[in-house]
């Protein structure tokens, strides 16, 4: 394949044993088909669904819960053999634990599967050849490329005599010889290259893994510690194992991973509404931690359509409105020169609107014609109105279309003035070519001779417009004298029996693909959010730089090395490179650069534009960006690196792309963003996210959502972890103080999977607390989802308060039934002995075993409602991390209050409905823990106040009680 | 993302060591002694405050309780039955009537249990009117009714210090759980039935296993200090052909509509089942 483009047709025929007219014989074709297989790409190796499903079953906390279930069944077996009555409790507990794992696994699998199936492929492959082909899916070039039989370039990708699989033929017909099929085509190779680029773990996956390790670590160490303690306290091994199950169940937030999934998919839905379609749920957050965005120019930063940006006539430059929804043009249109110019623009144009679009806004109508002509057509339609009728009134009598040799386009029209029998010749084309053909120039409607001074003015204007990266066109006209060209004159475009020189120059129009109007704002948002925006484009550096400047990627005050050289009038080599904040790097330079040099550029310049880059170079740029380590990370942290070395370093890089060639870069990037409109299927498949409107501004909205979800997941986790302590303490105190069991394992599951789920999801709806787009991207190392402060504050402070509150309820329940706190200590063995049926309480009454158990279950529910009540306070304090709740507004998040009521209702109904397994607590037991709930709230307000007053952050008190950020 | 570089073991050990104690900054586990001290102080104060608050709340709660009767008695509306002696393991009596060691423990338990029923201990108790509830809620000091050990006949331990165990007629005392304020209706009596026919014949002391109403209601440990709960002795005359057989006996309270004896879940509510196996 490498050399096939060098061969002539006949050599190719020889090589492949085929004929351009007859093709392969059926027998030979069948032979080749048998050898090479069908002309289709091997689909990327997908993980089998069953493996994905099983992964969900053993991932995260599932393994801990399986262990718990296993222990339950073991103890069931042993107890059954011993003939213990309550043996079946353990069987059920095991079943419940297994069910929890299976159900959350199915749920997560379903969520994951739902999000990946959003993308439906709709590829249309045309293995045809010729004329103009749209290579955009392959190379990202937006302009259709012409094809011929000539070998024009060494590089098979650039040569004209090869058409590629997966590209589409825009116009014309051609016949070709198929030289490769399936995976051996260029796209096939790229696809395999893309699948070779490993998918890195998303930051949120790392965070969740870290969190799971942390919680599992706590669970296992406390479990093992207390196993040892209980064994050495001469508990039976079997009992110790049952305690271990309880401790694991209490420690593992069973519902949390499902909650995280739900929160992420809610955010994904919200983002989809804002035109960011997220394929992989975890990518939702990745976007939030992005520190570098490598963005395409065309279509992403720009509107992807040529628009008239400037005009030059009467020796003056006028600016035109380039916004998306222009309806008028504000520049001065009183000059007769403009009248003449507008006529040329209108008449010397072959583009036409597709019929039947009269009701659409002009900018939205579909036009048949190339990009520049479309721009001019729309421009004149906006200013003059019905262009088609103007053309009809000025009937076209002859026309020479644009070609690359002439570099002009010409047409001859009758005039719309019935008195004026002259013909009007209008011409447009490359400005220098047009000027060559002119001898006069129109100034304020009058023809004046084109002297050198005026020619100079033209040059200046041309240079200025060109310097803005705009495509400039010149316009001229000539009224053909009536005597020489009477009404009946037959124009012949082949012999050109009419003048094409000594015309009258009227003006220049320059066009550009203008930036989308929302982009500058989005770029400045990125800037304040500490995200570096790098433009990567195949366009000319001048155009790229102009767009970069107009959207703010290169700010108004910053200079490139070349700018400084020009200003100081010194050679480029002498400029101190560190003075230049901006850089425009040409793809040709990039080719010769070592990765160290690239790193240096990425490090030293804050504003970077890569122009004339090939899509292959995008991968190099992305890798370079990912090597960048943010300065802030070097700050000293007290946890040794050994503890956190599992986290990979480097920036989180988002990259946009649309071509097939972009897919390796999209895969390589931490978050690949494919264009929904212009993007190829391969790009969409490789990407983590699809921008439905191709708009850069949507990325920024996505970043905001991603940061918000990270903040809110922190709140969710803090909320969930807190009550783990209130669930764990009972076990610990039960083991140490031998009191009757305060809360049962099933009750814990009721909290974790019942009452707590909805509020923790609701926290995902919490509005951004501070202006989240004004802080730097999350530092992957320091800003963990769950960090020491969060864990310590939740576990050792709020969690302990909750436990105390719940224990007060517990002791109240027992005391009011006759067991004063002092009688409860150390009673466990007798209390649980089912042969003792005359257990005496503090008042001399005697209880049967079942009566005691019934009281114990009453205790469970009382403990349960206490935790629920205090979780309401926990929810309130978790709404904000730094702001006082009064500042954030207690009732602003309607969802929370909308779910708080159901939470309480749910816990009520659970309590009342579960009469069979646990009795209803008395009404007043709902309120025993209320003072503690209030205490939690007040305490947290004080903490926030301490934060607001700004104790020195190094003060240990502050570092330990400061908010979890 | 940059490839994770595997740190040499020695380096990571050094980092750990540095983390555990950093001689340069004097940091221990990442903090200076002063910092640790302050944290310790903070938690001392914090938990101290919580402990104080807990104690205070508990104290307030205890103030609302009476010393004499518990606030609620709804969880024990009906009493359970229990036996004495109560074997350690389960409610199963295994003994050899010719081996005094095998039942010594039962005998001692019974002797100890009946200690408080000795006449000498009952000097303050009064003889109450039989057959009716002894209502004394008005009285500041609640009197306890006398329970005569002689009512237990052969099982009183007076005539047979071995409570029949040596003769193959073991005695088991059945008692009803104390519940404050419980007033049985009708004429409560204990009735025991062996599961297996013809292996055992049962004698009751007092006659018919009656529990006299005069022992009710109970006013609680602090008000009713010398209260003795009524006992019913069940003497099992094990048939000679039934030695080495496991005999299951279920005792129930009968004759009182407000004393439940057939709860599905609570196997001891108004009833009790135990097993006896005697060998020779």
């Amino acid at each position: 394949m490498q050399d096939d483009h060098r061969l002539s047709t006949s050599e190719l025929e020889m090589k492949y044993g085929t004929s351009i007219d007859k093709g392969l014989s059926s027998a030979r074709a069948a032979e080749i088909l048998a050898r090479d297989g069908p002309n289709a790409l091997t689909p990327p190796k997908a993980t089998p669904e069953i493996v994905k499903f099983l992964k969900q079953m053993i991932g995260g906390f599932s393994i801990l819960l399986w262990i718990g279930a296993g222990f339950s069944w073991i103890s069931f077996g042993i107890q059954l053999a011993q003939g213990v009555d309550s043996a079946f409790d353990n069987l059920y507990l095991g079943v419940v634990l297994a069910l929890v794992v299976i159900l959350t696994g199915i749920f997560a699998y379903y969520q994951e599967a739902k999000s990946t199936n959003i993308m439906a492929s709709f590829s249309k492959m045309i293995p045809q050849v010729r004329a103009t082909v749209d290579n955009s899916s392959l190379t990202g070039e937006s302009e259709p490329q012409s094809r011929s039989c000539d070998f024009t370039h060494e590089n098979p990708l650039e040569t004209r005599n090869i058409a590629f699989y997966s590209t589409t033929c825009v116009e014309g017909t051609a016949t070709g010889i198929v030289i490769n099929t399936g995976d051996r085509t260029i796209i096939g190779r790229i696809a395999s290259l893309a699948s070779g680029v490993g998918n890195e773990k998303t930051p949120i996956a790392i965070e969740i893994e870290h969190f799971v390790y942390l919680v599992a670590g706590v669970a296992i160490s406390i479990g093992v510690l207390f196993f040892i303690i209980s064994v050495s306290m001469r508990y039976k091994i079997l009992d110790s194992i049952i305690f271990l199950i309880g401790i694991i169940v209490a420690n593992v937030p069973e519902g949390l991973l499902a909650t995280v999934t739900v929160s992420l998919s809610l955010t994904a839905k919200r983002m989809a509404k804002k035109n960011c379609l997220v394929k992989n749920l975890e990518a939702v957050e990745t976007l939030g931690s992005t520190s570098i965005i490598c963005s395409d120019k065309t279509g992403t930063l720009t509107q992807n359509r040529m628009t008239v940006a400037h005009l030059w006539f009467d020796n003056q430059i006028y600016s035109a409105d380039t916004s998306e929804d222009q309806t008028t043009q504000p520049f001065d249109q009183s000059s007769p020169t403009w009248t003449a110019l507008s006529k040329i623009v209108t008449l010397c144009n072959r583009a036409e609107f597709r019929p039947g679009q009269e009701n659409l806004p002009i900018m939205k109508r579909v036009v048949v014609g190339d990009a520049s002509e479309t721009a001019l057509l729309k421009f004149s339609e906006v200013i003059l109105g019905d262009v088609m009728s103007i053309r009809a009134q000025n009937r076209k009598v002859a026309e020479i279309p644009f070609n690359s040799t002439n570099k002009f386009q010409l047409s001859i029209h009758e005039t719309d003035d019935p008195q004026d029998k002259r013909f009007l010749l209008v011409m447009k084309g490359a400005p220098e070519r047009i000027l060559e053909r002119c001898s006069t120039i129109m100034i304020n409607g009058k023809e004046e001779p084109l002297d050198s001074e005026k020619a100079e003015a033209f040059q200046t204007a041309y240079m200025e417009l060109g310097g803005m990266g705009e495509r400039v066109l010149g316009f001229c006209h000539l009224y053909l004298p009536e005597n020489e060209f009477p009404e009946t004159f037959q124009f012949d475009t082949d012999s050109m029996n009419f003048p094409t020189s000594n015309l009258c120059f009227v003006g220049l129009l320059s066009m550009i693909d203008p930036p989308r109007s929302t982009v500058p704002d989005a770029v400045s948002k990125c800037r304040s959010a500490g995200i570096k925006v790098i433009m990567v484009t195949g366009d000319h550096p001048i155009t790229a730089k102009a767009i970069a400047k107009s959207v703010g990627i290169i700010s108004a005050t910053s200079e490139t090395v070349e700018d400084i050289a020009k200003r100081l009038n010194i050679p480029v080599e002498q400029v101190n490179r560190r003075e230049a904040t901006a850089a425009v790097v040409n793809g040709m330079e990039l080719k010769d650069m070592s990765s160290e040099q690239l790193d240096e550029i990425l490090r030293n310049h804050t504003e970077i534009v890569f122009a004339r880059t090939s899509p292959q170079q995008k991968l190099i740029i992305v890798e370079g960006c990912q090597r960048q380590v943010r300065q802030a990370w070097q700050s000293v942290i007290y946890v040794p690196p050994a503890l956190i070395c599992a986290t990979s370093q480097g920036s989180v890089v988002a990259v946009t792309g649309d071509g097939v060639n972009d897919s390796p870069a999209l895969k390589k990037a931490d978050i690949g963003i494919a264009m929904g409109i212009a993007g190829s299927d391969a790009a969409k498949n490789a990407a983590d996210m699809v921008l439905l409107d191709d708009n850069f501004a949507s990325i920024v909205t996505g970043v905001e959502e991603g940061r918000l979800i990270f903040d809110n997941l922190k709140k969710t986790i803090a909320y969930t972890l807190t009550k783990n302590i209130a669930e764990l303490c009972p076990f610990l105190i039960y083991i140490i103080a031998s009191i009757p069991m305060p809360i049962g394992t099933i009750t814990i599951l009721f909290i974790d999977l019942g009452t707590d789920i909805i509020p923790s999801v609701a926290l995902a709806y919490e509005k951004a607390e501070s202006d989240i787009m004004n802080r730097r991207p999350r530092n992957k190392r320091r800003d963990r989802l769950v960090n020491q402060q969060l864990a310590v504050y939740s576990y050792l402070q709020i969690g302990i308060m909750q436990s105390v509150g719940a224990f007060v309820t517990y002791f109240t329940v027992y005391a009011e039934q006759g067991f004063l706190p002092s009688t409860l200590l150390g009673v466990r063995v007798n209390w649980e002995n089912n042969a003792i049926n005359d257990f005496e309480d503090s008042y001399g009454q005697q209880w049967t075993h079942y009566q005691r158990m019934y009281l114990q279950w009453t205790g469970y529910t009382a403990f349960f409602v206490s935790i629920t009540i205090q979780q309401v306070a926990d929810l309130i304090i978790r709404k904000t991390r730094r702001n006082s709740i009064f500042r954030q507004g207690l009732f602003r998040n309607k969802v929370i209050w909308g779910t708080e009521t159901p939470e309480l209702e749910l816990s009520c109904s659970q309590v009342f409905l579960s009469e069979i397994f646990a009795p209803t607590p008395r009404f007043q037991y709902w309120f025993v823990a209320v003072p503690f709930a209030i205490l939690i709230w007040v305490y947290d307000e004080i903490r926030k106040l301490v934060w607001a007053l700004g104790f020195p952050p190094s003060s240990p008190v502050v570092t330990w009680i400061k908010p979890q950020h | 993302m940059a490839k994770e570089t595997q740190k040499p073991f020695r380096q990571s050990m050094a980092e750990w060591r540095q983390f555990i104690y950093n001689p340069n900054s004097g940091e221990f586990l990442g903090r200076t002694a002063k910092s640790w001290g302050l944290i310790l102080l903070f938690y001392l104060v914090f938990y101290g405050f919580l402990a104080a608050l807990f104690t205070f709340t508990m104290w307030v709660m205890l103030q609302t309780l009476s010393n004499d009767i518990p606030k609620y008695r709804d969880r024990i509306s009906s009493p359970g039955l229990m036996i004495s002696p109560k074997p350690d393991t389960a409610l199963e009596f295994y003994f050899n009537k010719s081996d005094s060691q095998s039942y010594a423990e039962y005998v001692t338990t019974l002797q100890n249990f009946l200690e408080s029923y000795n006449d000498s201990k009952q000097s303050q108790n009064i003889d109450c009117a039989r057959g009716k509830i002894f209502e004394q809620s008005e009285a500041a000091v609640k009197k306890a009714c006398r329970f005569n050990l002689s009512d237990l006949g052969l099982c009183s331990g007076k005539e047979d210090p071995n409570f029949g165990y040596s003769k193959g007629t073991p005695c088991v005392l059945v008692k009803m759980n104390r519940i404050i304020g419980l007033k049985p209706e009708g004429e409560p009596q204990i009735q025991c039935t062996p599961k297996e026919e013809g292996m055992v014949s049962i004698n009751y002391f007092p006659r018919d296993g009656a529990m006299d109403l005069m022992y009710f209601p109970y006013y609680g440990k602090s008000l009713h200090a010398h209260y003795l709960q009524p006992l019913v002795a069940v003497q099992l005359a094990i048939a000679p052909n039934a030695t080495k057989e496991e005999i299951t006996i279920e005792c129930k309270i009968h004759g009182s509509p407000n004393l439940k004896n057939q709860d599905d879940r609570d196997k001891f509510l108004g009833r009790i089942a135990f097993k006896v196996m005697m060998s020779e």
Side-chain angles (χ1 to χ4, degrees), chain A residues 552-597:
Chain A
I553 289 179
I554 295 182
S555 51
T557 50
S558 66
E559 291 176 309
T560 62
V561 173
E562 292 76 18
D563 289 335
I564 297 176
K566 203 168 151 195
R567 175 165 56 84
L568 301 175
N569 214 355
I570 51 172
V572 173
E573 293 75 34
Q574 289 179 13
V575 177
N576 179 0
R577 294 194 162 263
R578 290 180 182 270
E579 276 178 26
T581 49
V584 178
V585 182
N586 197 310
M588 301 308 274
E589 298 165 44
L590 190 59
K591 213 188 243 165
D592 305 325
M593 251 178 225
S594 67
S595 53
E596 284 76 27
Q597 283 172 306

Side-chain angles (χ1 to χ4, degrees), chain B residues 11-65:
Chain B
Q11 193 189 337
S12 91
M13 273 313 284
E15 271 165 7
W16 271 102
R17 209 174 303 138
Q18 183 90 351
F19 172 65
I20 290 165
Y21 181 70
N22 184 345
N24 300 328
S25 55
E27 280 175 355
F28 174 70
L29 291 176
R31 288 177 178 278
T32 58
K34 191 185 161 204
S35 164
W36 278 116
L38 282 170
I39 286 163
L40 211 64
L41 186 68
F42 169 78
Y43 277 97
L44 218 60
V45 171
F46 181 73
Y47 289 145
F49 167 75
L50 280 185
L53 189 71
F54 175 75
T55 318
F56 174 73
T57 335
M58 293 293 283
W59 179 78
V60 169
M61 186 267 292
L62 292 176
Q63 293 312 299
T64 65
L65 300 178

